[in-house]
Amino acid sequence: MDPLTPLVANLQADGRLRVWSLVITAFGDLVQHRGGVISTARLGDLLGRVGVEPGALRTALSRLGQDGWVTSEREGRLSHYRLSDEGVREFAPATSLIYAPPRCEPVSDWALVIRLGSDPVLCPADETPDDADCCVVGALRHLSPAFRESLVQSQYLEALKRLAGDIGAIDAGHFSPATAAAARLLLVHRWRRIVLRHRELPAELMPPTEPLRNPRIDVARAYAQLAPLAEAWLDGEETTLPPMPAGDASFDQRFREAKA
């Protein structure tokens, strides 16, 4: 069986695939740190491995071009695409959120944050938003099961369940470079949708039975398994496509604390 089959099946189970969104994920994860330009041949090879037909990819690229997200240029028989300046600006905040380092140490100080007109939010004190109308900081002495349950949305738990399915299907030891690149695309695509739609909860606030109590750590570990092989594919291994430019320093900081 193709080792990508479980991951592709999980993607299809989400409903109608928005190919343009998958293309944006590909740019953010596999293109931007490699010079920012990708040929339609390489992009088609990558997305073809996850079930995207050439016609659907052409339609998605056309839409992204019309919406000002990407620009293209012709070189011989191939077209090359890059994010537009506006696209880069729009994607930058999401990139920082997607690849932020996981919290590995227990939370010692908590903040109860109140914004006028909104429900109170409990968060680590060092993550207190700047627009709080009231903020109380201290130790967390007690958390009832009922209150804990009220903090976690069912949609968030369902999204984490699907993420756990993807992570469980990743076995980099059986992946080729091309398969690892496609698997990394799918992993980041699901993670991207989670962090852009849901507020991350610290492990201390998650249900004790949840298998991904600190999902960012699990994503970072799976990403680290896939990264070397996926980068080898971008270097041109197992393909007749020209290698992409060498990766820049930003790649080494994904899911890691920035060096002082």
Side-chain angles (χ1 to χ4, degrees):
M1 182 179 73
D2 184 344
L4 271 181
T5 297
L7 289 161
V8 173
N10 289 346
L11 177 70
Q12 294 172 341
D14 290 341
R16 182 173 174 269
L17 175 63
R18 293 176 172 84
V19 178
W20 63 267
S21 182
L22 194 61
V23 170
I24 290 295
T25 301
F27 270 100
D29 188 64
L30 295 156
V31 181
Q32 289 307 101
H33 73 293
R34 289 280 189 148
V37 180
I38 190 169
S39 69
T40 49
R42 185 175 287 276
L43 189 59
D45 186 24
L46 176 68
L47 268 65
R49 293 175 185 276
V50 301
V52 175
E53 298 291 338
L57 175 57
R58 287 194 295 270
T59 299
L61 289 170
S62 175
R63 173 181 174 177
L64 288 169
Q66 292 171 2
D67 291 345
W69 274 92
V70 301
T71 62
S72 64
E73 55 188 32
R74 193 82 179 175
E75 185 177 313
R77 299 176 60 185
L78 289 178
S79 293
H80 292 75
Y81 284 82
R82 68 167 65 243
L83 288 179
S84 65
D85 291 343
E86 180 64 23
V88 171
R89 284 192 295 270
E90 289 287 338
F91 201 71
T95 299
S96 299
L97 183 58
I98 291 166
Y99 300 111
R103 177 184 288 274
C104 299
E105 298 298 325
V107 179
S108 56
D109 293 321
W110 294 84
L112 184 64
V113 178
I114 299 174
R115 295 186 184 92
L116 295 177
S118 301
D119 293 333
V121 172
L122 184 64
C123 67
D126 58 0
E127 296 179 9
T128 304
D130 296 331
D131 60 349
D133 291 298
C134 178
C135 179
V136 180
V137 176
L140 184 61
R141 301 297 185 189
H142 177 66
L143 197 65
S144 72
F147 188 77
R148 184 191 298 275
E149 184 177 342
S150 73
L151 295 174
V152 188
Q153 295 182 340
S154 60
Q155 297 95 327
Y156 182 51
L157 291 179
E158 180 60 30
L160 291 183
K161 179 180 178 181
R162 292 183 179 274
L163 175 64
D166 282 356
I167 291 174
I170 290 173
D171 184 0
H174 293 87
F175 284 3
S176 68
T179 300
R184 199 174 94 181
L185 169 68
L186 296 182
L187 173 69
V188 173
H189 187 62
R190 185 173 298 284
W191 179 237
R192 169 181 166 237
R193 288 183 296 169
I194 289 174
V195 298
L196 295 183
R197 293 177 182 177
H198 304 281
R199 183 175 75 89
E200 285 184 72
L201 289 178
E204 292 89 343
L205 303 184
M206 292 289 288
T209 56
E210 173 57 43
L212 298 185
R213 298 193 69 201
N214 194 337
R216 188 173 287 275
I217 284 182
D218 296 284
V219 171
R221 288 171 178 165
Y223 193 90
Q225 290 183 49
L226 296 169
L229 282 170
E231 293 300 299
W233 182 74
L234 296 174
D235 286 333
E237 292 189 16
E238 280 200 353
T239 177
T240 58
L241 298 169
M244 294 184 68
D248 61 33
S250 67
F251 179 75
D252 294 331
Q253 295 306 312
R254 291 180 180 179
F255 296 110
R256 298 179 185 177
E257 295 283 2
K259 295 181 180 179

